[in-house]
Amino acid sequence: MKADSSPVDKTATPGRPRDPRLDAAILAATAELLVEIGYPNVTMAAIAERAGTTKTAVYRRWGSKAELVHEAAFPAVPTALEIPPGDIAADIRAMVAAARDVFTTPVVRAALPGLIADMTADDQLNARVMARFVALFAAVRTRVVEGVSRGDVHPDVDPDRLVEVIGGTTMLRLLLDPATPLGEDWVDQTAAIVVHGVRRPQ
């Protein structure tokens, strides 16, 4: 899948302040169209028309459809775990619940398949998108390091693999059974597998 792209407007005045109201209108239009017509059918022209602006104005703010869709789907990336530190089991459950809450919104459900395809095809886009999650990954890493120092976490646990396990599990579950809600029982069971594993203690 090829990302919707267009030359960036070179006539824009450098440093001109952006209108936050227009930014919000563009993001809202993007979210609405994603849910209504799906990622493949969303174009920058359609977004501009829905937001009441021009395609040039949209491209002045976001260099590609995928970048705009990502910001519309993930408007507020978590930067830290809200629960107090000291309980790795509670940390893991909070991570699983947060992934569930993020990936099950209607906008993310509509955006994710196409967004992943575009990110896979464009290394630079992938790097720019993933950069928005740096603070969140750092928060997970901090909790894992703290858990290791307390003796609650095995020292071989890689925080990046932990993020992949939780995020990947959530996305796969949505792909396999999108019609069934992910309730608290799913969160509890998934967190228990991550915390305790599948092998019974000897």
Side-chain angles (χ1 to χ4, degrees):
M1 179 183 299
K2 185 178 180 181
D4 184 14
S5 60
S6 178
V8 177
D9 178 20
K10 302 299 184 181
T11 64
T13 303
R16 183 169 62 184
R18 283 169 46 168
D19 183 348
R21 294 170 299 179
L22 182 54
D23 289 3
I26 293 170
L27 290 168
T30 304
E32 292 169 3
L33 287 169
L34 283 167
V35 175
E36 292 173 13
I37 62 177
Y39 185 94
N41 299 313
V42 173
T43 65
M44 296 294 251
I47 293 169
E49 182 178 0
R50 175 67 65 92
T53 187
T54 65
K55 191 166 70 169
T56 299
V58 176
Y59 273 111
R60 188 179 296 126
R61 291 160 169 79
W62 290 276
S64 71
K65 167 184 162 180
E67 290 183 47
L68 173 51
V69 165
H70 179 267
E71 189 166 340
F74 302 98
V77 178
T79 57
L81 294 171
E82 296 181 356
I83 61 173
D87 185 344
I88 192 61
D91 288 345
I92 297 298
R93 193 194 185 286
M95 294 175 199
V96 174
R100 183 271 314 269
D101 293 344
V102 167
F103 288 123
T104 55
T105 66
V107 176
V108 173
R109 281 179 178 266
L112 204 56
L115 185 60
I116 290 174
D118 282 347
M119 290 171 61
T120 301
D122 186 337
D123 291 341
Q124 292 184 351
L125 170 64
N126 183 75
R128 289 195 297 272
V129 170
M130 294 308 297
R132 297 188 66 218
F133 292 95
V134 168
L136 175 60
F137 295 161
V140 173
R141 185 173 290 104
T142 296
R143 290 298 173 96
V144 170
V145 170
E146 291 172 347
V148 170
S149 67
R150 293 193 308 269
D152 296 337
V153 176
H154 195 285
D156 289 341
V157 171
D158 186 323
D160 293 335
R161 301 296 81 76
L162 178 60
V163 170
E164 291 169 3
V165 166
I166 293 174
T169 298
T170 308
M171 287 190 285
L172 181 60
R173 171 61 172 73
L174 292 173
L175 290 172
L176 293 177
D177 190 6
T180 304
L182 275 63
E184 296 305 310
D185 58 339
W186 181 88
V187 173
D188 290 337
Q189 292 167 11
T190 303
I193 292 172
V194 175
V195 173
H196 303 295
V198 297
R199 186 177 182 179
R200 293 184 61 181
Q202 300 297 318

